[in-house]
Amino acid sequence: MSIRHSLLALLQDQPRYGYQLRVEFENRTGSTWSLNIGQVYTTLDRLERDGLVSNDGSDGEGHVIYSITAAGKAEVRNWFAAPVERNNPPRNELAIKLALAVTLPGVDVQAIIQAQRVASIRALQDYTKARRDTAANQRAADTAWLLVLDSLIFQTEAEVRWLDLCEARMLQQAQTAGQATPRKSSNGVTVEEAAPLIADSRR
Amino acid sequence: MSVQGPHQVLELAKVSRTFGEGATAVAALREVDLSIRAGEFVAVMGPSGSGKSSLLALAGGLDRPTSGGVFVESTPLGGLGLNELARLRRRAVGYVFQDFNLVPTLTAAENVALPLELDGTAARKAQRQAIDALRQVGIPELADRFMDQMSGGQQQRVAIARAIVGNRRLILTDEPTGALDSTTGHGVMEVLRGRADAGAAVMLVTHEARHAAWADRVVFLRDGRIVDQAAAMHDPAMLLTQAGH
């Protein structure tokens, strides 16, 4: 998450002081990511140093007001225009854990997958309920929160599907090793169904 | 004797189901205990062959357990004759089959009204309730269509309307969104959730995590046994902590 660009985007709206920026950021992102006020002030200092915002002095009540400069507006334009950079590959603790588990003797990988599946489905239940409740009494301010929830729902669903695939893949390996195991993963993905997906993911 | 309280709509007590005998016997379910309260939505997940569909068939009285008891609103299904069982199913249980089981010579509204009429509801009243159920699944305008004039997705919605018509107290569904696009699938989940919120007990068998996530509780079956259960936390503070990691 780019705090720097988020604050700049909010300042493009109108000049604001640090605490206002924090509140505004949290409101517009459904309070999903909390911002530490210290982070806000440190970031404002750096933006000022880089000539992207200017310090307009106090508003008379002890708040230091910041406004965006022309260079800052250009920076916001570039940020919105460019796709978000992916950490390549993104660090994913679950993927790392499973990758290590399959290479170590004596680790029950299927148990790890099932434990994660239960946790992921539980999170998915919570996101789905929050989405339903928010959609039921939708106010304009909730649109941002709904977008964030949709994103979390898609990510979690993808995680569960990936777990199914991991399980199917492991069963496939157990089979080639000559063990008698069922040809289906916990969620009914057959080894045959998984095969093209696995091939896809290699491309 | 069952120990279920007044709010248990469905109870399976140590239910086992074995197909075949001797060396070729296959245990589809092994001593499964599962209760669903009024107003509760339970999803069942598990691999093909794990016993999901057997569980659903036993819960709906379409099959009988090899051992153990199935109770619908405190009535032991094992003690009912075929006619009594059929009556209970028409009145209390709505069932969405994977292959819909609709009558091709009847219209959509007639299919939906059928269980009510068989149970003695006057035709006009049954028709009115059928249209209302079709409205809930979003296809009231298709009431007069025959099955061969409808798409697979539309037929599936007729099957769902038939399962919810007349305020059934137990709704059992087997992959009810299989033939539907994702928007319509979402609509079906809203209907099932709505029935549960209105007090019905709902059991959904599904492979789709995003559909199971609409349930209050997700039960995982493997080799005929319940191996795990997941219940939503319903704690907004926890949700934010999770999302904010």
Side-chain angles (χ1 to χ4, degrees):
Chain A
M1 173 184 64
S2 173
I3 299 174
R4 179 185 165 88
H5 289 112
S6 303
L7 297 189
L8 270 181
L10 289 172
L11 286 174
Q12 180 165 285
D13 211 14
Q14 63 178 74
R16 290 186 159 96
Y17 54 88
Y19 182 74
Q20 277 181 325
L21 285 167
R22 177 190 173 190
V23 169
E24 201 59 32
F25 175 83
E26 291 185 355
N27 283 347
R28 295 195 194 198
T29 54
S31 303
T32 314
W33 298 279
S34 56
L35 265 192
N36 169 329
I37 192 70
Q39 276 175 304
V40 174
Y41 286 118
T42 318
T43 308
L44 284 170
D45 284 346
R46 288 192 193 133
L47 289 170
E48 190 185 355
R49 179 197 66 197
D50 297 343
L52 301 175
V53 303
S54 61
N55 179 332
D56 296 351
S58 171
D59 65 352
E61 292 176 28
H63 305 126
V64 178
I65 303 286
Y66 290 87
S67 59
I68 195 165
T69 63
K73 285 181 184 167
E75 181 81 13
V76 172
R77 257 197 319 277
N78 290 340
W79 183 54
F80 279 128
V84 171
E85 223 173 277
R86 304 185 72 85
N87 307 325
N88 201 11
R91 182 130 91 179
N92 178 333
E93 188 186 338
L94 179 57
I96 293 169
K97 191 196 270 191
L98 282 180
L100 289 176
V102 294
T103 57
L104 293 173
V107 179
D108 185 347
V109 182
Q110 207 158 20
I112 296 175
I113 291 175
Q114 178 61 15
Q116 185 64 45
R117 180 183 283 127
V118 172
S120 301
I121 296 252
R122 189 170 287 149
L124 196 53
Q125 283 178 290
D126 289 332
Y127 297 146
T128 304
K129 180 164 195 311
R131 202 205 180 285
R132 204 165 64 235
D133 293 346
T134 309
N137 45 46
Q138 191 170 358
R139 298 156 299 179
D142 289 335
T143 305
W145 179 219
L146 284 176
L147 287 177
V148 171
L149 280 170
D150 283 333
S151 161
L152 293 169
I153 287 169
F154 278 115
Q155 282 171 31
T156 314
E157 191 194 358
E159 187 174 286
V160 174
R161 292 184 63 180
W162 178 70
L163 288 169
D164 293 345
L165 191 70
C166 290
E167 200 174 37
R169 185 72 189 276
M170 291 210 26
L171 295 174
Q172 190 180 37
Q173 282 179 344
Q175 260 177 358
T176 38
Q179 295 169 20
T181 24
R183 294 184 63 80
K184 307 243 182 185
S185 79
S186 254
N187 269 351
V189 178
T190 64
V191 171
E192 291 78 3
E193 282 162 353
L197 293 172
I198 292 164
D200 268 354
S201 67
R202 279 186 183 151
R203 266 176 220 150
Chain B
M1 261 315 278
S2 159
V3 290
Q4 66 191 49
H7 300 297
Q8 300 289 20
V9 177
L10 173 69
E11 186 185 6
L12 290 98
K14 293 225 175 313
V15 165
S16 295
R17 178 70 171 100
T18 305
F19 294 99
E21 283 178 4
T24 58
V26 177
L29 291 172
R30 305 163 197 251
E31 301 207 326
V32 168
D33 289 313
L34 178 67
S35 299
I36 307 184
R37 296 189 311 274
E40 192 181 21
F41 185 167
V42 172
V44 181
M45 300 188 84
S48 308
S50 62
K52 300 190 303 288
S53 294
S54 296
L55 190 68
L56 212 57
L58 290 168
L62 301 171
D63 186 19
R64 291 184 189 266
T66 310
S67 64
V70 179
F71 303 84
V72 174
E73 302 213 295
S74 302
T75 303
L77 300 191
L80 299 180
L82 282 180
N83 286 340
E84 292 169 306
L85 189 58
R87 192 179 311 121
L88 178 99
R89 283 213 308 264
R90 285 198 302 268
R91 287 188 180 167
V93 185
Y95 205 116
V96 184
F97 299 88
Q98 255 177 347
D99 51 2
F100 316 150
N101 279 13
L102 296 164
V103 183
T105 52
L106 298 180
T107 64
E110 287 165 350
N111 262 289
V112 176
L114 188 61
L116 300 176
E117 290 193 51
L118 286 173
D119 209 38
T121 305
R124 274 180 89 108
K125 188 178 173 197
Q127 184 78 7
R128 208 167 49 240
Q129 288 185 296
I131 302 283
D132 185 51
L134 287 170
R135 187 172 296 116
Q136 285 190 56
V137 297
I139 49 165
E141 73 281 6
L142 303 182
D144 295 328
R145 295 262 187 100
F146 288 94
M147 294 310 113
D148 60 2
Q149 300 167 320
M150 302 175 91
S151 70
Q154 289 167 338
Q155 289 182 40
Q156 192 155 28
R157 283 194 268 178
V158 175
I160 292 157
R162 187 183 56 187
I164 62 171
V165 75
N167 288 325
R168 307 293 179 72
R169 299 181 291 281
L170 176 60
I171 298 168
L172 306 169
T173 65
D174 199 350
E175 298 284 4
T177 55
L180 305 176
D181 60 64
S182 64
T183 309
T184 316
H186 182 94
V188 167
M189 298 319 294
E190 278 182 336
V191 169
L192 293 179
R193 183 70 251 180
R195 297 313 306 156
D197 292 344
V202 178
M203 178 148 84
L204 163 76
V205 161
T206 185
H207 283 136
E208 300 277 358
R210 70 171 179 280
H211 293 147
W214 285 75
D216 300 302
R217 188 152 53 101
V218 181
V219 170
F220 296 88
L221 270 187
R222 184 188 286 267
D223 298 330
R225 287 197 177 88
I226 293 178
V227 291
D228 264 314
Q229 302 206 29
M233 289 180 288
H234 293 185
D235 179 350
M238 281 298 291
L239 190 63
L240 295 178
T241 318
Q242 281 184 336
H245 58 69

